[in-house]
């Protein structure tokens, strides 16, 4: 069994056959976006060097950048401790968000109460 097949077998896809994939910029660790992958999208991502997602709304595969030119080139990938989330480190070319922003997390900052760690 290949390393890719072993990783696909370890991945804990949800009831819909999907796995959340966090996309992170190489070097800066900036979180760019979250997308969904089924087994085939994960296989393509791990073997083709470009990030591929499963579009839940269109019910089809889409490779980031094929229409926009804003591609994501895979640098590394890791499953989390429960194997139910994939982290993909990429070299992002252009913006990551379909709205035209660098990341999908820049347009709606929320107010929070900041927690403090216990004093020693």
């Amino acid at each position: 069994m290949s390393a890719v097949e072993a990783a696909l077998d370890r991945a804990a896809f949800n009831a819909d056959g999907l796995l959340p994939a966090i996309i992170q910029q190489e070097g800066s660790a900036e979180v760019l976006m979250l997308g969904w992958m089924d087994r085939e999208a994960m296989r393509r991502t791990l073997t083709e060097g470009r990030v591929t997602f499963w579009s839940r709304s269109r019910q089809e595969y889409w490779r980031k950048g094929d229409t926009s030119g804003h591609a994501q080139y895979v640098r590394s990938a890791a499953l989390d401790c429960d194997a139910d989330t994939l982290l993909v480190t990429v070299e992002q070319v252009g913006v990551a968000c379909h709205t035209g922003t660098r990341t999908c997390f820049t347009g709606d900052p929320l107010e929070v109460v900041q927690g403090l760690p216990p004093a020693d």
Side-chain angles (χ1 to χ4, degrees):
M1 175 183 297
S2 74
V4 169
E5 286 300 317
L8 293 168
D9 288 345
R10 278 196 326 273
F13 297 94
N14 68 18
D16 294 324
L18 299 173
L19 183 77
I22 299 166
I23 310 302
Q24 182 180 54
Q25 175 63 48
E26 178 186 39
S28 71
E30 177 182 33
V31 176
L32 300 173
M33 61 177 290
L34 179 135
W36 293 91
M37 294 183 184
D38 67 0
R39 186 180 177 96
E40 178 60 18
M42 183 176 166
R43 185 195 66 73
R44 291 180 190 186
T45 297
L46 297 178
T47 62
E48 296 178 358
R50 295 268 308 273
V51 178
T52 299
F53 298 102
W54 174 253
S55 171
R56 295 174 299 163
S57 59
R58 295 189 312 262
Q59 295 290 295
E60 65 184 16
Y61 295 104
W62 60 281
R63 191 168 70 165
K64 188 70 173 174
D66 279 353
T67 57
S68 68
H70 303 297
Q72 295 172 338
Y73 294 92
V74 177
R75 295 297 178 251
S76 66
L79 288 165
D80 76 341
C81 58
D82 297 320
D84 63 359
T85 302
L86 182 68
L87 176 65
V88 183
T89 302
V90 302
E91 179 181 333
Q92 175 71 46
V93 174
V95 301
C97 188
H98 71 281
T99 64
T101 58
R102 169 82 182 144
T103 82
C104 293
F105 298 99
T106 55
D108 191 14
L110 304 176
E111 289 189 33
V112 300
V113 172
Q114 293 186 359
L116 298 172
D120 288 338

